Amino acid sequence: MRLLLSIVAVLLAAGQAPAIAREMSAPDYPDTRQSDTSEFLFGERIADPYRWLENDVRNDAEVADWVERQNAVTDAYLDTLPARDWFTSRITELFDFERFSTPAERGGRYFYTRNTGLQNQSPLYVREGIEGEPRLLLDPNAWADDGATALDSWVPSPDGRKVLYSVQDGGTDWRILRVLDVDTGEPMGEGVRWAKFTGLAWVGSDGFLYSRFPEPEEGEDFQALNYDQAIFYHRIGMPQADDVQVFATPDHRERNHTASVTDDSRWAVLTSSVGTDARYEVHVIDLEHAQSTGEWNAIPLVSGFENAWRVIDSVGSRLFFMTNADAPLYRIVSVDMDDVAAGWTEIVPQGEHPIDGVSLIGGKLIVSYLQDAASRAYLHTLDGDLLREIVFDGIGSVGGFYGDPEEPETFTSFTSFNRPSTIYRMNVDTGETSVFAQPDLSFDPAEFVVEQRFYESRDGTRVPMFLMRHRDVAEAGKPVPTLLYGYGGFDVSLTPGFSTSRIAWVEAGGAYALANIRGGGEYGKAWHDAGRRANKQNVFDDFIAAGEFLKAEGIASEDGLAIQGGSNGGLLVGAVINQRPELFAAGNAAVGVMDMLRFDRWTAGRYWVDDYGYPDRAEDFAILRAYSPLHNIREGLDYPALLVTTADTDDRVVPGHSFKYIAAIQAADVGDRPHLIRIETRAGHGSGKPTDKAIAEAADVMGFLAKATGLEAPEPGVHK
């Protein structure tokens, strides 16, 4: 056992939680210009003195100067944190393990990514047969000096001779699509640009379907609203200008469209949406007809934008879907494309727990469920008969189940809070399972106790929470500095997953908790509906109740509760700090939606009205005004220490949200603890961030939260 953890055990046995003096005083903040900008909205004058901070940092010198001055103050403060060096060292060590993606087999070749540990980006490899030697196909680490250009998505062609992949530069949501010849390793044709929120769908092995938006006006790449998405067909080797528009809705510019193709290349399934809600229309294209005639006839299959429809795959003319139509927890149905008029056939009915995913492998259905936010998986026949449960060890999350509808081989992954992903190869006919890839770790997962608790929210709703502590801490039962994480929105389910920074936090003697609050999809449609639009306050109540529970149960120390969330979770952190500042010692609001009165004016923000409502409608405005983090800062109260994190290339939640919010916090009378912003360069909403930047940010955040909560970490190397 590491010396650090032995020290923790001794302190806990003596009834003491590890702590350090936490005198945290704010530095001198940079001056931020205030304008007299305001609007009269629904009977109220709304001041917006920092609206100029909405401008794109790449195109506005004043904003760029403000970012530089804020970062200088933040960097100087972070340099003083006693635990940051330890977190940097330990998170780096924890990151240094071999990581694999779930393989995809095509044409007898096996494709997967592998990171040796500290590579900024994960290269793509191929094997000739399952026992073949790995061969490097793509190494994104050579694409940019700063490591910030990433291999985003990739899919091999049906014959395994080509790979279609997307490139993400600097964290943006825009993608460049490219094709690689697997035999030669050479690129094929020019890149396809202005793709965003797209699938990668091969049509045979000579072309593919993708989704794109019109090219934005110069300088508007990262802020302009996204309208007029359409699906195009690109033939390999031809210029993008010759791409064929396959599907669009010019009379409904707000609609989004993505394409997928069944494994046998027979059907293209086009899914249309109008926002973030799982409410879709579905069209189907017979690809045999399209390729022989050049006519891309999209046959309407589902209309009305009322329910979720997710295609699974096909067997001949029979298409399989999972849907929440007449089933809030989802069911599996099929339709015969040769006799659509006959309607839908139910295969697997709605059960007690929500269906989280379905795969068609070897003539069988693998159905994954969420049971109290953890994965369970079962094998069914194509007629829906239950064959057996697929059992995994412990509380965790299952992913993958990739394979061929006609072949029994599949690959899947299993991960938990104390275990990074292990990749398994399984035969669905025999049940035989073997390990494809399992990492060697610099810690013992058995030293960490993962459990699930339940607590009551303000209105009596029972809410689940995952909790991870070191075994010595759990057995001692004494309160320690605790990090609480939440999201609560957009039907997103938070399931067990591995994080090096959270392992480091627990190694240092703290506890980590994840609250599965309303607004997510952990319990199906009703759980989501209970935490959005007019019900959004339930999300904040659930999170506040989680913090109260952690203190009441003696898990979190009285002055040692930190909170963290990103994106919609950043909104969560900002809102609950306004509502209950005395409950928390510190917060990290990452890439948060902070201005709820203007969120729908940039890039993808207009989609979020499904969860938040419309700022230009009186009823919704009143709800948004009541919790908007920017507009509800409470002067005269002692706010917790706060570190806001964002990035200059975030074109999902534009950084102006965080810029305006921290400027308002710094100008307000909310106590003397530090309220800082950390602004990353050439990074976006999170995906594609290089390893070195991820480690540096995690160490800064954990060091900041440790100082605020009294979590003491030793000097680098002491834990060894």
Side-chain angles (χ1 to χ4, degrees):
M1 184 176 297
R2 299 182 181 89
L3 175 60
L4 165 63
L5 296 172
S6 299
I7 294 171
V8 170
V10 170
L11 291 171
L12 289 167
Q16 304 172 35
I20 56 176
R22 281 180 288 149
E23 294 80 7
M24 299 187 76
S25 57
D28 292 330
Y29 302 123
D31 292 332
T32 302
R33 177 174 65 85
Q34 297 189 34
S35 72
D36 58 1
T37 303
S38 67
E39 290 179 291
F40 196 71
L41 302 172
F42 301 104
E44 181 181 0
R45 175 66 62 183
I46 303 293
D48 198 358
Y50 305 112
R51 184 172 293 184
W52 62 274
L53 285 171
E54 295 174 355
N55 294 340
D56 188 346
V57 64
R58 286 162 295 271
N59 299 313
D60 188 300
E62 186 180 15
V63 176
D65 175 69
W66 181 88
V67 166
E68 184 177 352
R69 289 185 292 116
Q70 287 284 349
N71 269 342
V73 170
T74 298
D75 290 346
Y77 182 85
L78 295 174
D79 284 343
T80 70
L81 297 175
R84 187 177 68 159
D85 287 347
W86 182 85
F87 277 110
T88 300
S89 174
R90 187 58 186 143
I91 293 171
T92 300
E93 291 174 344
L94 290 166
F95 241 113
D96 195 7
F97 67 91
E98 199 173 28
R99 299 185 293 281
F100 290 79
S101 69
T102 307
E105 184 276 330
R106 292 291 184 272
R109 288 169 162 168
Y110 291 80
F111 300 82
Y112 57 91
T113 60
R114 169 182 171 267
N115 192 307
T116 58
L118 295 177
Q119 291 176 283
N120 276 324
Q121 304 292 343
S122 295
L124 179 66
Y125 291 83
V126 63
R127 291 183 186 179
E128 302 289 342
I130 193 66
E131 301 295 337
E133 287 296 317
R135 174 164 60 93
L136 178 65
L137 278 181
L138 289 167
D139 185 4
N141 295 289
W143 293 349
D145 291 341
D146 63 355
T149 303
L151 172 62
D152 176 51
S153 298
W154 52 271
V155 58
S157 60
D159 60 10
R161 299 180 65 180
K162 305 179 185 74
V163 171
L164 167 63
Y165 63 99
S166 58
V167 178
Q168 179 186 24
D169 183 58
T172 177
D173 278 338
W174 293 111
R175 300 291 188 266
I176 301 172
L177 309 185
R178 300 188 184 280
V179 176
L180 184 79
D181 185 305
V182 174
D183 291 325
T184 66
E186 296 298 321
M188 303 182 70
E190 299 296 322
V192 172
R193 297 179 180 272
W194 304 115
K196 181 189 276 195
F197 310 138
T198 181
L200 303 179
W202 281 101
V203 178
S205 294
D206 296 322
F208 59 87
L209 298 173
Y210 70 99
S211 305
R212 61 158 291 183
F213 291 93
E215 181 176 350
E217 297 292 330
E218 184 175 356
E220 293 295 315
D221 313 23
F222 299 104
Q223 290 202 315
L225 286 166
N226 300 142
Y227 284 103
D228 299 309
Q229 190 180 40
I231 296 173
F232 287 82
Y233 172 73
H234 177 80
R235 181 172 290 277
I236 307 302
M238 300 298 290
Q240 184 174 0
D242 291 346
D243 289 357
V244 178
Q245 182 174 287
V246 170
F247 188 79
T249 52
D251 293 335
H252 297 280
R253 300 180 60 213
E254 75 285 358
R255 293 184 182 177
N256 311 299
H257 313 290
T258 58
S260 61
V261 172
T262 56
D263 193 80
D264 61 3
S265 297
R266 172 73 190 279
W267 308 101
V269 179
L270 316 181
T271 303
S272 301
S273 63
V274 291
T276 56
D277 268 4
R279 298 182 292 111
Y280 309 132
E281 289 191 341
V282 179
H283 291 74
V284 177
I285 295 175
D286 184 334
L287 292 177
E288 291 181 355
H289 175 80
Q291 290 186 292
S292 63
T293 66
E295 299 173 352
W296 298 86
N297 298 327
I299 304 166
L301 185 62
V302 178
S303 60
F305 294 106
E306 295 178 355
N307 301 109
W309 296 87
R310 303 176 191 173
V311 66
I312 301 165
D313 217 316
S314 67
V315 175
S317 61
R318 192 179 177 196
L319 283 174
F320 291 80
F321 286 81
M322 60 177 286
T323 180
N324 62 3
D326 301 318
L329 300 182
Y330 286 90
R331 61 189 178 123
I332 301 171
V333 298
S334 71
V335 64
D336 190 335
M337 290 304 297
D338 288 341
D339 189 12
V340 173
W344 297 93
T345 299
E346 184 172 85
I347 307 300
V348 178
Q350 173 178 259
E352 183 180 355
H353 305 290
I355 296 175
D356 188 45
V358 187
S359 298
L360 205 168
I361 305 292
K364 299 177 178 63
L365 294 169
I366 300 177
V367 186
S368 300
Y369 293 85
L370 284 183
Q371 183 171 334
D372 293 327
S375 294
R376 302 288 292 271
Y378 299 86
L379 192 66
H380 293 257
T381 69
L382 291 185
D383 293 326
D385 296 331
L386 176 64
L387 296 175
R388 65 177 182 273
E389 182 176 3
I390 301 172
V391 179
F392 292 86
D393 183 20
I395 298 173
S397 300
V398 174
F401 290 121
Y402 299 134
D404 190 312
E406 297 182 353
E407 298 296 331
E409 179 186 66
T410 187
F411 292 88
T412 186
S413 65
F414 180 81
T415 185
S416 189
F417 295 106
N418 60 343
R419 296 177 184 273
S421 289
T422 295
I423 310 298
Y424 296 93
R425 182 184 183 214
M426 186 178 72
N427 185 303
V428 297
D429 287 342
T430 66
E432 180 182 358
T433 301
S434 60
V435 173
F436 176 81
Q438 186 172 26
D440 293 325
L441 304 174
S442 62
F443 68 95
D444 181 3
E447 291 182 351
F448 300 85
V449 177
V450 177
E451 55 187 315
Q452 189 172 46
R453 303 284 189 94
F454 292 85
Y455 66 93
E456 282 194 2
S457 189
R458 181 178 182 179
D459 62 359
T461 297
R462 186 171 180 259
V463 182
M465 170 194 292
F466 290 111
L467 179 65
M468 178 172 65
R469 293 176 288 179
H470 187 266
R471 189 167 300 280
D472 291 345
V473 171
E475 291 176 354
K478 302 297 183 181
V480 296
T482 299
L483 175 58
L484 171 64
Y485 186 88
Y487 186 79
F490 297 97
D491 200 25
V492 173
S493 300
L494 296 187
T495 60
F498 182 75
S499 163
T500 55
S501 61
R502 291 160 190 166
I503 286 287
W505 178 271
V506 173
E507 280 191 334
Y512 171 72
L514 184 153
N516 296 107
I517 55 183
R518 283 174 284 186
E522 289 88 346
Y523 293 103
K525 187 176 185 299
W527 197 251
H528 176 212
D529 288 344
R532 65 188 184 114
R533 301 194 71 157
N535 296 322
K536 190 65 175 178
Q537 184 58 42
N538 287 335
V539 176
F540 312 136
D541 289 343
D542 289 357
F543 201 59
I544 289 168
E548 294 173 332
F549 173 82
L550 289 167
K551 290 188 176 183
E553 291 294 304
I555 296 167
S557 48
E558 185 57 34
D559 296 319
L561 179 61
I563 54 175
Q564 184 182 46
S567 196
N568 177 73
L571 158 64
L572 169 69
V573 169
V576 300
I577 282 177
N578 284 339
Q579 294 182 15
R580 289 290 303 277
E582 81 290 348
L583 183 61
F584 312 110
N588 168 222
V591 292
V593 188
M594 300 310 209
D595 185 344
M596 301 309 298
L597 306 186
R598 289 173 61 80
F599 70 83
D600 60 341
R601 296 170 183 254
W602 303 286
T603 60
R606 66 177 184 83
Y607 304 143
W608 311 335
V609 294
D610 285 343
D611 246 54
Y612 297 148
Y614 294 81
D616 60 354
R617 297 180 184 177
E619 181 179 358
D620 290 343
F621 172 86
I623 296 166
L624 295 164
R625 174 66 178 86
Y627 69 78
S628 175
L630 176 64
H631 300 95
N632 288 279
I633 298 167
R634 299 166 69 188
E635 298 265 1
L637 296 181
D638 187 20
Y639 269 41
L642 177 65
L643 182 61
V644 174
T645 50
T646 188
D648 62 356
T649 316
D650 189 348
D651 50 0
R652 184 84 55 86
V653 179
V654 295
H657 279 280
S658 295
F659 293 175
K660 292 169 65 177
Y661 171 69
I662 200 64
I665 287 280
Q666 290 177 350
D669 176 18
V670 289
D672 296 328
R673 285 184 272 194
H675 305 127
L676 302 170
I677 186 167
R678 184 188 189 280
I679 306 158
E680 188 63 83
T681 57
R682 275 186 50 78
H685 201 58
S687 67
K689 184 175 292 184
T691 297
D692 57 5
K693 287 187 177 184
I695 291 172
E697 180 177 345
D700 286 348
V701 171
M702 291 301 171
F704 183 89
L705 299 179
K707 173 71 172 177
T709 59
L711 180 67
E712 183 176 7
E715 294 296 321
V718 173
H719 60 279
K720 292 182 179 178

